[in-house]
Tab-separated table of all heavy atoms in Angstrom:
chain	number	residue	atom	x	y	z
A	787	TRP	N	6.246	-10.446	-71.944
A	787	TRP	CA	4.888	-10.179	-72.415
A	787	TRP	C	3.991	-11.400	-72.377
A	787	TRP	O	2.761	-11.279	-72.300
A	787	TRP	CB	4.934	-9.587	-73.824
A	787	TRP	CG	5.429	-8.171	-73.801
A	787	TRP	CD1	6.644	-7.710	-74.206
A	787	TRP	CD2	4.727	-7.043	-73.287
A	787	TRP	NE1	6.757	-6.358	-73.986
A	787	TRP	CE2	5.588	-5.914	-73.421
A	787	TRP	CE3	3.473	-6.853	-72.716
A	787	TRP	CZ2	5.212	-4.645	-73.016
A	787	TRP	CZ3	3.099	-5.583	-72.314
A	787	TRP	CH2	3.959	-4.495	-72.469
A	788	SER	N	4.568	-12.580	-72.391
A	788	SER	CA	3.733	-13.782	-72.268
A	788	SER	C	3.073	-13.826	-70.893
A	788	SER	O	1.876	-14.131	-70.765
A	788	SER	CB	4.574	-15.045	-72.478
A	788	SER	OG	5.627	-15.113	-71.531
A	789	THR	N	3.841	-13.470	-69.848
A	789	THR	CA	3.269	-13.433	-68.501
A	789	THR	C	2.270	-12.298	-68.379
A	789	THR	O	1.178	-12.466	-67.808
A	789	THR	CB	4.375	-13.262	-67.446
A	789	THR	OG1	5.277	-14.349	-67.544
A	789	THR	CG2	3.784	-13.212	-66.049
A	790	VAL	N	2.646	-11.111	-68.887
A	790	VAL	CA	1.736	-9.962	-68.817
A	790	VAL	C	0.427	-10.290	-69.527
A	790	VAL	O	-0.663	-9.962	-69.039
A	790	VAL	CB	2.399	-8.714	-69.434
A	790	VAL	CG1	1.393	-7.562	-69.524
A	790	VAL	CG2	3.611	-8.293	-68.604
A	791	ARG	N	0.545	-10.952	-70.672
A	791	ARG	CA	-0.664	-11.326	-71.417
A	791	ARG	C	-1.535	-12.286	-70.598
A	791	ARG	O	-2.762	-12.144	-70.531
A	791	ARG	CB	-0.273	-11.985	-72.742
A	791	ARG	CG	-1.493	-12.327	-73.625
A	791	ARG	CD	-1.062	-12.937	-74.947
A	791	ARG	NE	-0.361	-14.195	-74.753
A	791	ARG	CZ	0.935	-14.381	-74.979
A	791	ARG	NH1	1.676	-13.353	-75.404
A	791	ARG	NH2	1.504	-15.558	-74.786
A	792	ASN	N	-0.890	-13.260	-69.932
A	792	ASN	CA	-1.650	-14.193	-69.106
A	792	ASN	C	-2.314	-13.498	-67.921
A	792	ASN	O	-3.459	-13.807	-67.556
A	792	ASN	CB	-0.729	-15.315	-68.593
A	792	ASN	CG	-0.315	-16.265	-69.705
A	792	ASN	OD1	-0.993	-16.363	-70.726
A	792	ASN	ND2	0.786	-16.951	-69.513
A	793	LEU	N	-1.581	-12.543	-67.315
A	793	LEU	CA	-2.160	-11.788	-66.203
A	793	LEU	C	-3.360	-10.970	-66.658
A	793	LEU	O	-4.390	-10.912	-65.979
A	793	LEU	CB	-1.103	-10.869	-65.587
A	793	LEU	CG	0.046	-11.541	-64.830
A	793	LEU	CD1	1.076	-10.488	-64.415
A	793	LEU	CD2	-0.456	-12.284	-63.623
A	794	LEU	N	-3.218	-10.332	-67.820
A	794	LEU	CA	-4.330	-9.541	-68.352
A	794	LEU	C	-5.516	-10.431	-68.701
A	794	LEU	O	-6.674	-10.060	-68.480
A	794	LEU	CB	-3.876	-8.756	-69.582
A	794	LEU	CG	-2.936	-7.576	-69.311
A	794	LEU	CD1	-2.424	-6.984	-70.627
A	794	LEU	CD2	-3.642	-6.496	-68.490
A	795	MET	N	-5.222	-11.623	-69.242
A	795	MET	CA	-6.299	-12.554	-69.573
A	795	MET	C	-7.050	-12.980	-68.312
A	795	MET	O	-8.278	-13.043	-68.293
A	795	MET	CB	-5.732	-13.777	-70.288
A	795	MET	CG	-5.325	-13.515	-71.735
A	795	MET	SD	-6.759	-13.200	-72.815
A	795	MET	CE	-7.485	-14.834	-72.870
A	796	ALA	N	-6.262	-13.284	-67.253
A	796	ALA	CA	-6.902	-13.665	-65.989
A	796	ALA	C	-7.745	-12.507	-65.461
A	796	ALA	O	-8.846	-12.697	-64.930
A	796	ALA	CB	-5.849	-14.072	-64.962
A	797	TRP	N	-7.228	-11.264	-65.613
A	797	TRP	CA	-7.949	-10.084	-65.152
A	797	TRP	C	-9.254	-9.905	-65.931
A	797	TRP	O	-10.314	-9.677	-65.360
A	797	TRP	CB	-7.040	-8.864	-65.315
A	797	TRP	CG	-7.563	-7.596	-64.713
A	797	TRP	CD1	-8.478	-7.478	-63.704
A	797	TRP	CD2	-7.203	-6.261	-65.070
A	797	TRP	NE1	-8.708	-6.163	-63.400
A	797	TRP	CE2	-7.937	-5.385	-64.226
A	797	TRP	CE3	-6.328	-5.716	-66.000
A	797	TRP	CZ2	-7.817	-4.002	-64.314
A	797	TRP	CZ3	-6.212	-4.338	-66.070
A	797	TRP	CH2	-6.945	-3.498	-65.239
A	798	VAL	N	-9.158	-10.029	-67.256
A	798	VAL	CA	-10.330	-9.809	-68.108
A	798	VAL	C	-11.354	-10.932	-67.941
A	798	VAL	O	-12.567	-10.690	-67.907
A	798	VAL	CB	-9.893	-9.688	-69.586
A	798	VAL	CG1	-11.100	-9.698	-70.508
A	798	VAL	CG2	-9.072	-8.418	-69.786
A	799	LEU	N	-10.877	-12.177	-67.822
A	799	LEU	CA	-11.786	-13.317	-67.798
A	799	LEU	C	-12.398	-13.573	-66.423
A	799	LEU	O	-13.413	-14.262	-66.325
A	799	LEU	CB	-11.054	-14.578	-68.256
A	799	LEU	CG	-10.649	-14.626	-69.732
A	799	LEU	CD1	-9.861	-15.893	-70.025
A	799	LEU	CD2	-11.888	-14.561	-70.630
A	800	THR	N	-11.767	-13.050	-65.362
A	800	THR	CA	-12.237	-13.376	-64.013
A	800	THR	C	-13.698	-12.995	-63.806
A	800	THR	O	-14.492	-13.807	-63.306
A	800	THR	CB	-11.349	-12.691	-62.958
A	800	THR	OG1	-10.073	-13.321	-62.960
A	800	THR	CG2	-11.960	-12.797	-61.573
A	801	LEU	N	-14.073	-11.768	-64.176
A	801	LEU	CA	-15.455	-11.340	-63.949
A	801	LEU	C	-16.464	-12.193	-64.715
A	801	LEU	O	-17.381	-12.753	-64.114
A	801	LEU	CB	-15.618	-9.860	-64.280
A	801	LEU	CG	-15.199	-8.879	-63.185
A	801	LEU	CD1	-15.318	-7.450	-63.673
A	801	LEU	CD2	-16.042	-9.063	-61.932
A	802	PRO	N	-16.331	-12.336	-66.062
A	802	PRO	CA	-17.335	-13.151	-66.765
A	802	PRO	C	-17.340	-14.609	-66.321
A	802	PRO	O	-18.400	-15.233	-66.218
A	802	PRO	CB	-16.945	-13.010	-68.244
A	802	PRO	CG	-15.565	-12.472	-68.253
A	802	PRO	CD	-15.399	-11.691	-67.008
A	803	ALA	N	-16.137	-15.168	-66.043
A	803	ALA	CA	-16.080	-16.570	-65.627
A	803	ALA	C	-16.769	-16.769	-64.283
A	803	ALA	O	-17.559	-17.716	-64.098
A	803	ALA	CB	-14.625	-17.040	-65.564
A	804	SER	N	-16.483	-15.898	-63.334
A	804	SER	CA	-17.097	-16.047	-62.014
A	804	SER	C	-18.591	-15.734	-62.055
A	804	SER	O	-19.376	-16.348	-61.322
A	804	SER	CB	-16.384	-15.158	-60.986
A	804	SER	OG	-16.315	-13.814	-61.421
A	805	ILE	N	-18.997	-14.808	-62.919
A	805	ILE	CA	-20.427	-14.523	-63.080
A	805	ILE	C	-21.171	-15.763	-63.571
A	805	ILE	O	-22.211	-16.152	-63.033
A	805	ILE	CB	-20.635	-13.340	-64.047
A	805	ILE	CG1	-20.236	-12.024	-63.373
A	805	ILE	CG2	-22.094	-13.260	-64.513
A	805	ILE	CD1	-20.203	-10.835	-64.313
A	806	LEU	N	-20.617	-16.398	-64.612
A	806	LEU	CA	-21.261	-17.598	-65.169
A	806	LEU	C	-21.245	-18.755	-64.178
A	806	LEU	O	-22.248	-19.462	-64.014
A	806	LEU	CB	-20.559	-17.996	-66.466
A	806	LEU	CG	-20.768	-17.051	-67.659
A	806	LEU	CD1	-19.880	-17.474	-68.834
A	806	LEU	CD2	-22.233	-17.050	-68.086
A	807	LEU	N	-20.101	-18.954	-63.516
A	807	LEU	CA	-20.001	-20.041	-62.544
A	807	LEU	C	-21.009	-19.871	-61.410
A	807	LEU	O	-21.768	-20.789	-61.076
A	807	LEU	CB	-18.587	-20.090	-61.958
A	807	LEU	CG	-17.555	-20.997	-62.616
A	807	LEU	CD1	-16.186	-20.770	-61.990
A	807	LEU	CD2	-17.966	-22.459	-62.486
A	808	ALA	N	-21.012	-18.677	-60.807
A	808	ALA	CA	-21.892	-18.441	-59.665
A	808	ALA	C	-23.363	-18.469	-60.077
A	808	ALA	O	-24.200	-19.032	-59.359
A	808	ALA	CB	-21.555	-17.095	-59.018
A	809	GLY	N	-23.675	-17.858	-61.221
A	809	GLY	CA	-25.061	-17.867	-61.687
A	809	GLY	C	-25.563	-19.276	-61.950
A	809	GLY	O	-26.677	-19.644	-61.548
A	810	GLY	N	-24.739	-20.088	-62.611
A	810	GLY	CA	-25.124	-21.473	-62.880
A	810	GLY	C	-25.292	-22.279	-61.600
A	810	GLY	O	-26.263	-23.024	-61.434
A	811	LEU	N	-24.335	-22.120	-60.674
A	811	LEU	CA	-24.423	-22.847	-59.403
A	811	LEU	C	-25.653	-22.416	-58.600
A	811	LEU	O	-26.318	-23.244	-57.968
A	811	LEU	CB	-23.157	-22.600	-58.572
A	811	LEU	CG	-21.907	-23.376	-58.991
A	811	LEU	CD1	-20.678	-22.842	-58.251
A	811	LEU	CD2	-22.081	-24.864	-58.705
A	812	TYR	N	-25.968	-21.126	-58.648
A	812	TYR	CA	-27.124	-20.634	-57.895
A	812	TYR	C	-28.421	-21.258	-58.418
A	812	TYR	O	-29.274	-21.699	-57.632
A	812	TYR	CB	-27.201	-19.112	-57.990
A	812	TYR	CG	-28.416	-18.520	-57.326
A	812	TYR	CD1	-28.513	-18.467	-55.939
A	812	TYR	CD2	-29.479	-18.008	-58.083
A	812	TYR	CE1	-29.632	-17.930	-55.313
A	812	TYR	CE2	-30.595	-17.461	-57.466
A	812	TYR	CZ	-30.671	-17.433	-56.081
A	812	TYR	OH	-31.778	-16.908	-55.474
A	813	ILE	N	-28.567	-21.313	-59.727
A	813	ILE	CA	-29.782	-21.899	-60.307
A	813	ILE	C	-29.889	-23.376	-59.931
A	813	ILE	O	-30.968	-23.870	-59.563
A	813	ILE	CB	-29.781	-21.715	-61.833
A	813	ILE	CG1	-29.949	-20.221	-62.176
A	813	ILE	CG2	-30.887	-22.532	-62.478
A	813	ILE	CD1	-29.778	-19.896	-63.648
A	814	VAL	N	-28.756	-24.093	-59.988
A	814	VAL	CA	-28.765	-25.518	-59.619
A	814	VAL	C	-29.117	-25.685	-58.144
A	814	VAL	O	-29.968	-26.521	-57.774
A	814	VAL	CB	-27.395	-26.160	-59.929
A	814	VAL	CG1	-27.319	-27.567	-59.341
A	814	VAL	CG2	-27.138	-26.199	-61.429
């Protein structure tokens, strides 16, 4: 479950993290 939890975290966080990263880079 530690691995499953990490996989789920990566799944859940990927969209918001990439949205923030790309949006910030685009403005810069």
Side-chain angles (χ1 to χ4, degrees):
W787 287 107
S788 59
T789 300
V790 173
R791 184 178 63 249
N792 289 338
L793 291 174
L794 288 173
M795 286 291 290
W797 188 23
V798 170
L799 291 177
T800 290
L801 278 176
S804 53
I805 287 171
L806 290 173
L807 267 173
L811 283 170
Y812 176 73
I813 292 172
V814 171

